[in-house]
């Protein structure tokens, strides 16, 4: 009968552990008791002698029988080809949206959300603070230094300049944020409308909270943050919903690079596949 | 027939029957105590590291509970000081270093196609001295007050600045426990480093030239060189500190002609390379996992090797950026700021190469890959705040603030810890023969991402708002309350993530899906043997012809060696 295949490996030993313990005790004795150092020294010497005999004149080995593992011997064969993405092909790893919402839908959605936000803010001012001009003046304080240092009494009074500035700021911001939402919405994961409606206002409210001290000290002092966030949520949900329902337009991402560079009047992949 | 190899052929061989009888008489525990097998030692390193990680993690949670609200008295100031000292020391020396040693021990012989490390007994010695060193550190809780009636665990911070460590300010033996245990674990780390270098240079299988080494091996190799260069200054400083405390040598005592600043130089000559000692193996893990889960070879292999070597050299010359506030000369400030900025170049090269590897690949978002992705984002943030702190006037403003705490936790938790988890998910099937649960792994990942960023992201703001580190409580009304509360809430998510991970480890050990030898369809040699590998690793030592030997084996029609230079 043929002898079973085997391999020689270094033999197990506890001497390295004994030397390590000895060295540890030797040092630990410095802060505990000299007897511990003495024990460590003796252990270390004994361990060193044992270790020496393990490796001199020849290192000790043990023989390990070889177990043949057929599964491990058999290589796994897999497909050689790596699937590369090409521009315009749909899929979860496509970086740029193929279709986007038009900018006009962002502006219209922003205006719609802005109207709701204004109603909510004024309603809060009227019901809680007793004056509809309270949120108007707080917003206008961004651009009007006299309102930044005004007391609550003044902030509750009507100011024609304050109203004009607040309307301008609110209009500009509503349209601007609506346009950003329109641009960002196609890049959100699934349930983009919910993401945009709930997550975005929380993020920009946090950003505003962190910077409002410098932008608008009056608002920092007097604004009700819970209601502020609720107004932002109202804005984003309305604007996001309006933008979501708009007709999307195709971007240049689906076009061949030659057409994007203006070299050739080639058709997009979608146009080709439609034919 | 006996398939002896170079490890064994010259040795004195006892009779097979006698050795087998001796082996059979050993209990399973004794087998582990006596083992010199690199795989078992690797597992023991990682398990011991995980135990210290859990203990130090609990300390971190207690620290965060204490800081959740102003004027909290959950922990007293002395206990708090001990907590952050033991937390920092344990995480660096008893979790980070041994976990890296464990991964290196387990994987390097398998990856270079040999049967064991070059010095298997030295390897065992390294593990045991690390473990005893760690135990000595924690014994300080019992030993320091128990025998002399003063002191407890160390309470001087993980970098133990002089003169706080002098006898006048630290009575009893608290600092001595710290110095001795670091000295012991340093000996273990040096033993491991020497072993890694010898193994990589002397025991590579046939055909494995240096430029065919897996990047994991390359990066651990440069880490080992860094350890050999950086650890002796630390050990020297520990011995000088002990001489100061026991014999009044006065190295760090300004009143006897010494210098407290010298301690800082000694510590950081070790301490900053230590950051790279910890993160380079993280890079190593990422460099193995990203190609496999992108189904593409690593992008720019030679440049990755060159960048690792550049990091090694540059990291030896940046230490004093930890010391801008001590009042160095302008030339000193400019030199260390420049060298610190310089290190961003090879690090940036690595990040671009990982992205280049993923670009156009067929990505698989399994847990190992998810943790690597988390690492990429968080380590980038860490790198950017590191560049900010390299600007001297900025550092003057934020030194010793929570901004610095946030920065280094983004390096060590967002960077290193995430790669350790990536490594565990990737190689657990090789070690145990069973897969870790993928769904639980994804929960683990997302909870940790949320928890980590909640805890440490907001600490940047705390630092900018002026909150100093190492304070045990604070006054209300400074704008710190909200951020501290958020930071503490993040710990709950992190704790849940770690509990899930531990459950996954234990559950998969018994019930995990069988992995087979190569569950990820990977390309390096460790996947060429069974899972778990036999004690001799390979029945026949392999021969390789390219950087991806398993690719060549699986695709003889299109081998890599045909394309590689």
């Amino acid at each position: 009968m043929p002898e079973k295949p085997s391999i020689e490996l270094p033999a197990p030993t506890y001497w390295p552990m004994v030397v390590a313990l000895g060295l540890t005790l030797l040092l630990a004795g410095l802060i505990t008791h000299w007897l511990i150092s003495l024990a460590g020294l003796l252990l270390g010497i004994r361990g060193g002698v044992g270790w020496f005999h393990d490796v001199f004149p020849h290192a000790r080995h043990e023989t390990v029988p070889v177990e043949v593992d057929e599964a491990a011997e058999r290589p796994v064969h897999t497909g050689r080809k790596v699937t590369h993405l090409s521009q315009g092909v749909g899929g979860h790893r496509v970086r740029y949206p193929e279709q986007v919402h038009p900018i006009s839908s962002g502006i219209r959605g922003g205006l719609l959300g802005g109207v709701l936000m204004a109603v909510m803010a004024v309603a809060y001012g009227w019901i809680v603070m007793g004056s509809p001009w309270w949120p108007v003046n707080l917003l206008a304080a961004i651009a009007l230094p006299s309102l930044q240092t005004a007391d609550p009494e003044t902030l509750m009074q009507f100011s024609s300049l304050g109203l004009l500035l607040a309307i301008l700021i609110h209009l500009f911001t509503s349209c601007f944020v609506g346009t950003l939402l329109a641009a960002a919405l196609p890049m959100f994961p699934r349930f983009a409308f919910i993401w945009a409606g709930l997550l975005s206002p929380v993020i920009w409210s946090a950003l505003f909270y962190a910077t409002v001290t410098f932008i608008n000290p009056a608002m920092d002092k007097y604004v009700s943050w819970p209601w502020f966030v609720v107004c932002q949520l109202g804005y984003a949900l309305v604007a996001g919903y309006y933008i979501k329902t708009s007709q999307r337009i195709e971007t240049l991402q689906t076009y061949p690079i030659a057409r994007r560079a203006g070299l050739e009047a080639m058709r997009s992949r979608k146009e080709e596949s439609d034919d | 027939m006996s398939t002896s190899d170079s490890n064994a052929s010259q040795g004195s061989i006892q009779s097979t029957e006698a050795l087998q009888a001796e082996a059979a008489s050993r209990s399973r525990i004794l087998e582990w105590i006596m083992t010199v097998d690199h795989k078992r030692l690797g597992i023991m390193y990682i398990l011991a590291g995980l135990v210290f990680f859990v203990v130090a993690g609990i300390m971190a949670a207690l620290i965060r509970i204490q800081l959740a609200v102003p004027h909290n008295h959950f922990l007293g100031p002395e206990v708090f000081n001990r907590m952050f000292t033991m937390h920092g020391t344990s995480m660096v020396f008893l979790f980070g270093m041994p976990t890296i040693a464990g991964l290196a021990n387990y994987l390097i012989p398998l990856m270079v196609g040999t049967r064991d490390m070059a010095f298997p007994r030295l390897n065992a010695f390294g593990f045991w001295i690390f473990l005893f060193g760690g135990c000595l550190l924690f014994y300080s809780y019992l030993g320091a007050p128990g025998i002399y009636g003063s002191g407890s665990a160390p309470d001087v911070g993980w970098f133990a600045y002089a003169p706080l460590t002098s006898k006048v300010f630290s009575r009893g033996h608290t600092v001595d426990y710290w110095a001795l245990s670091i000295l012991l674990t340093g000996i273990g780390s040096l033993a491991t480093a020497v072993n890694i270098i010898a193994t990589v240079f002397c025991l590579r299988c046939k055909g494995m030239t240096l430029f065919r080494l897996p990047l994991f091996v390359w990066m651990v190799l440069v880490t080992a060189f860094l350890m050999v260069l950086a650890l002796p200054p630390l050990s020297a400083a520990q011995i000088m500190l002990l001489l100061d405390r026991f014999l009044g040598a006065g190295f760090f005592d300004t009143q006897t002609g010494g210098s407290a600043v010298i301690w800082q130089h000694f510590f950081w000559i070790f301490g900053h390379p230590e950051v790279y000692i910890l993160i380079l193996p993280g890079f190593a893990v990422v460099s193995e996992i990203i190609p496999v889960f992108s189904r593409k070879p690593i992008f720019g292999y030679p440049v990755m090797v060159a960048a690792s070597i550049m990091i090694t050299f540059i990291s030896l010359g940046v230490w004093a950026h930890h010391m801008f506030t001590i009042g160095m000369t302008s030339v000193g400030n400019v030199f260390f700021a420049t060298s610190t900025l310089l290190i961003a170049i090879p690090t940036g090269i690595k990040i671009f190469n990982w992205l280049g590897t993923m670009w156009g690949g067929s990505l698989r978002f399994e847990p190992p890959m998810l943790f690597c992705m988390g690492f990429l984002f968080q380590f980038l943030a860490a790198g950017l705040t590191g560049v900010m702190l390299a600007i001297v006037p900025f550092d003057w403003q934020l030194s010793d603030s929570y901004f610095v705490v946030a920065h280094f936790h983004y390096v060590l938790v967002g960077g290193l810890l995430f790669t350790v988890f990536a490594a565990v998910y990737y190689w657990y099937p090789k070690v145990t023969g069973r897969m870790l649960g993928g769904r639980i792994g994804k929960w683990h990942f997302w909870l940790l991402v949320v928890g980590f960023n909640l805890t440490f992201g907001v600490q940047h703001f705390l630092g900018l708002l002026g909150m100093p580190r190492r304070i045990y409580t604070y006054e209300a009304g400074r704008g710190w309350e909200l951020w501290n509360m958020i930071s503490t809430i993040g710990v709950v998510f992190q704790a849940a993530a770690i509990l899930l991970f531990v459950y996954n480890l234990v559950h998969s050990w018994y019930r995990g899906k069988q992995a087979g030898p190569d569950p990820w369809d990977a390309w390096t040699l460790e996947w060429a043997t069974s899972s778990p590998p036999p004690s001799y690793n390979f029945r026949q030592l392999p021969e390789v012809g390219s950087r991806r030997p398993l690719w060549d084996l699986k695709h003889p029609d299109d081998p890599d060696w045909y394309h590689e230079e």
Side-chain angles (χ1 to χ4, degrees), chain B residues 278-557:
Chain B
L278 292 173
I279 203 65
L280 273 167
F283 292 174
V285 169
V286 173
S287 300
E288 288 303 319
I289 292 175
I290 284 183
V292 169
F293 288 85
S294 303
R295 312 310 302 152
K296 280 175 67 189
I298 189 83
F299 179 82
Y301 175 97
V303 183
M304 289 292 262
V305 173
S308 305
I309 296 170
M310 272 177 76
I311 288 173
T312 306
F313 278 110
I314 300 172
S315 72
L316 291 166
V318 298
W319 77 88
H321 70 211
H322 294 269
M323 301 162 57
F324 285 143
T325 49
I326 64 163
M328 290 191 297
T329 61
S330 297
V331 175
N333 284 343
V334 168
F335 176 84
F336 286 105
T338 309
S339 62
T340 306
L341 294 174
L342 205 60
I343 211 163
I345 295 172
T347 313
I349 287 172
K350 280 182 177 293
I351 290 184
F352 281 120
N353 280 15
W354 290 320
L355 294 178
T357 306
M358 284 189 276
W359 187 264
S362 186
L363 305 186
R364 291 185 297 178
F365 291 105
E366 299 287 341
M369 185 65 165
L370 286 177
F371 278 101
C372 288
M373 304 286 284
F375 157 84
L376 280 181
F377 283 99
Q378 288 156 183
F379 186 72
L380 182 65
L384 293 175
T385 51
V387 167
M388 290 159 79
L389 286 168
I391 309 301
V392 181
F394 188 89
D395 184 87
W396 285 340
Q397 294 297 319
L398 291 168
S399 187
D400 266 348
S401 77
Y402 259 82
F403 190 88
V404 178
V405 177
H407 161 70
F408 69 70
H409 279 91
Y410 264 73
V411 176
L412 294 180
V413 182
L416 174 67
L417 184 64
F418 271 65
T419 59
V420 167
F421 284 134
V424 172
Y425 279 95
Y426 185 58
W427 281 296
Y428 184 92
K430 177 53 57 185
V431 176
T432 64
R434 289 179 185 274
M435 304 295 288
L436 274 172
R439 182 181 288 253
I440 301 178
K442 286 175 184 172
W443 272 100
H444 169 204
F445 169 75
W446 285 111
L447 281 170
L448 195 64
V449 165
V450 171
F452 163 74
N453 285 288
L454 275 180
T455 298
F456 296 108
V458 298
Q459 289 183 3
H460 292 105
F461 306 138
L462 278 171
L464 291 169
L465 289 169
M467 181 165 167
R469 61 194 288 200
R470 293 191 291 263
I471 53 169
Y472 101 103
T473 191
Y474 51 91
E475 293 288 335
R478 296 188 176 189
W480 302 346
E481 297 92 325
L482 175 69
W483 304 121
N484 271 307
M485 180 53 78
I486 293 173
S487 187
T488 302
I489 288 168
V491 174
V492 178
F493 287 85
Q494 292 190 70
I498 301 300
L499 283 175
L500 274 181
F501 171 65
V502 173
Y503 168 79
N504 204 359
L505 283 183
V506 177
H507 182 261
S508 302
W509 174 266
Y510 295 105
R511 301 265 173 88
K513 204 172 75 178
Q514 292 288 343
D518 182 15
W520 306 118
D521 190 10
W523 304 310
T524 37
L525 280 178
E526 75 272 27
W527 305 103
T529 186
S530 59
S531 303
S535 55
Y536 43 82
N537 291 351
F538 305 98
R539 197 159 65 96
Q540 283 184 315
L541 291 182
E543 186 176 343
V544 301
S546 78
R547 290 171 200 146
R548 298 195 299 168
L550 258 69
W551 174 273
D552 297 346
L553 198 65
K554 294 169 188 174
H555 306 287
D557 53 320

Side-chain angles (χ1 to χ4, degrees), chain A residues 134-155:
Chain A
W134 174 260
V136 175
N137 289 333
L138 276 185
L139 182 59
I142 290 176
L144 208 56
S146 62
L147 287 176
Q148 285 182 3
T149 51
D151 55 19
E153 283 299 315
T154 314
L155 288 171

Side-chain angles (χ1 to χ4, degrees), chain A residues 121 124-125 129 132-144 147-148 150-152 154-157 162-163 166 169 208 212 215-224 228:
Chain A
Y124 172 81
M129 303 304 297
W133 308 116
W134 174 260
V136 175
N137 289 333
L138 276 185
L139 182 59
I142 290 176
L144 208 56
L147 287 176
Q148 285 182 3
D151 55 19
T154 314
L155 288 171
M156 282 194 249
Q157 303 301 316
L163 179 63
I169 292 168
F208 191 68
V212 71
I215 300 169
N216 190 345
M219 188 174 270
D220 185 31
K221 203 169 172 185
Y222 297 119
V223 75
S224 158
F228 179 87

Side-chain angles (χ1 to χ4, degrees), chain A residues 38-54:
Chain A
L38 182 64
L41 183 68
L42 295 175
L43 263 180
I45 291 171
R46 179 65 192 94
V49 171
W51 192 341
F52 183 87
H53 283 297
D54 263 354

Side-chain angles (χ1 to χ4, degrees), chain A residues 25-41:
Chain A
L25 292 179
L26 182 70
L27 295 184
L30 295 173
I31 43 178
T32 50
H33 199 280
W34 66 269
L35 280 175
I36 292 180
S37 284
L38 182 64
L41 183 68

